[in-house]
Amino acid sequence: MGIALLLALFSVASSDGSRFFGRTGENITLPCKYNKDYYGALFICWGRGKIPNSGCNNQIISTDGHRETNRVSSRYQLGQLEDGDVSLTILNLTDSDGGLYGCRVEIPGLFNDNKHQFEVTVERAPQTTTSSDVQMSTLQTAGVQTPGYMTTINFLTSSPNIGLTAEETSSMYVALLCVLLGLTILVTVGGALILAAKWRRQNKMPPQPLASTLQLQTPTSAVENIYQMDEGGDYEFCP
């Protein structure tokens, strides 16, 4: 009769396995709690595989109820220890995280430990096509290759050593176009100024010298005019 009672208590303290599903790259939380106000701080451990008669197989993290005492990876984190929440969170799931996990809460007394078994199945996250992937594919398709040469677009998008994102590549293209446009404007304006200066030099009238504008009479022409005036009229003598 006593053995049957102990087996009944053991079955109550144990928890049948629950299945949890997660995807690679995501986080998953396996629940495990105890009444800290009633029991006080207790020792808890998490392990991989089936829960043994004592302790935890392949222990990955443990706590004394106040702080973590052991942890094999920073991807394993516990809940709020002060509230008795010792749930296990696995960060950034990988394919190798699939399998059995067990939580043991060591409660004083014979066969009083709380045990919780979980089975984790990790699925691969579906591949999603983002706008950045579409933009990169468009830029790679737009490049025209000439035998023996590589275009700038293909070099920037296909070279594995560049390490630029689509946004950085687009910004670089915009900056390059702005520089080329600025140089074109400068060359055009400079050429126009040079042609205008050359045209003004060719069409500028030279200044006329003063001697050419004033028609000075020579002494010979003045004498001829006097003789012509003497022959053409009478003069009255005034005393």
Side-chain angles (χ1 to χ4, degrees):
M1 183 68 179
I3 296 176
L5 180 61
L6 290 175
L7 292 175
L9 290 174
F10 179 76
S11 62
V12 171
S14 300
S15 176
D16 292 336
S18 300
R19 300 191 66 181
F20 284 79
F21 296 87
R23 292 180 176 179
T24 55
E26 298 179 352
N27 304 334
I28 192 172
T29 299
L30 309 179
C32 187
K33 297 181 180 181
Y34 72 98
N35 191 340
K36 189 174 183 179
D37 293 335
Y38 180 81
Y39 291 107
L42 300 176
F43 176 83
I44 299 95
C45 64
W46 279 90
R48 301 197 61 172
K50 291 185 178 181
I51 302 176
N53 293 331
S54 63
C56 294
N57 281 334
N58 299 320
Q59 183 172 294
I60 57 177
I61 193 170
S62 62
T63 175
D64 59 2
H66 300 288
R67 61 184 181 277
E68 295 178 3
T69 56
N70 181 43
R71 181 170 61 177
V72 299
S73 174
S74 59
R75 294 194 303 116
Y76 299 132
Q77 296 184 0
L78 295 178
Q80 302 295 326
L81 299 181
E82 61 273 13
D83 298 329
D85 183 3
V86 289
S87 300
L88 174 66
T89 298
I90 306 174
L91 305 177
N92 191 20
L93 282 173
T94 63
D95 293 332
S96 61
D97 290 324
L100 292 177
Y101 289 81
C103 173
R104 176 187 290 273
V105 180
E106 295 187 356
I107 299 177
L110 186 62
F111 300 117
N112 286 339
D113 291 354
N114 286 337
K115 296 182 292 183
H116 304 276
Q117 190 83 58
F118 306 95
E119 182 179 359
V120 175
T121 301
V122 180
E123 301 175 348
R124 284 192 171 274
Q127 298 293 331
T128 57
T129 302
T130 62
S131 59
S132 299
D133 296 333
V134 174
Q135 186 176 14
M136 291 292 292
S137 177
T138 303
L139 291 174
Q140 291 175 351
T141 305
V144 179
Q145 292 185 351
T146 303
Y149 297 93
M150 178 180 288
T151 62
T152 303
I153 293 178
N154 283 333
F155 175 77
L156 292 175
T157 57
S158 63
S159 176
N161 297 324
I162 295 297
L164 297 178
T165 63
E167 290 78 5
E168 293 173 343
T169 304
S170 300
S171 300
M172 185 169 59
Y173 292 152
V174 172
L176 181 59
L177 290 177
C178 292
V179 171
L180 292 177
L181 181 60
L183 290 177
T184 302
I185 294 175
L186 289 176
V187 172
T188 303
V189 172
L193 292 176
I194 293 174
L195 291 176
K198 185 176 180 180
W199 181 83
R200 285 197 299 268
R201 286 197 301 267
Q202 290 178 351
N203 294 274
K204 185 176 181 181
M205 296 297 295
Q208 296 293 332
L210 183 60
S212 63
T213 56
L214 298 177
Q215 296 180 357
L216 299 178
Q217 295 182 350
T218 61
T220 305
S221 61
V223 174
E224 292 177 354
N225 289 336
I226 293 174
Y227 287 138
Q228 291 175 1
M229 292 176 62
D230 290 340
E231 295 175 355
D234 297 333
Y235 295 90
E236 181 179 358
F237 177 77
C238 295

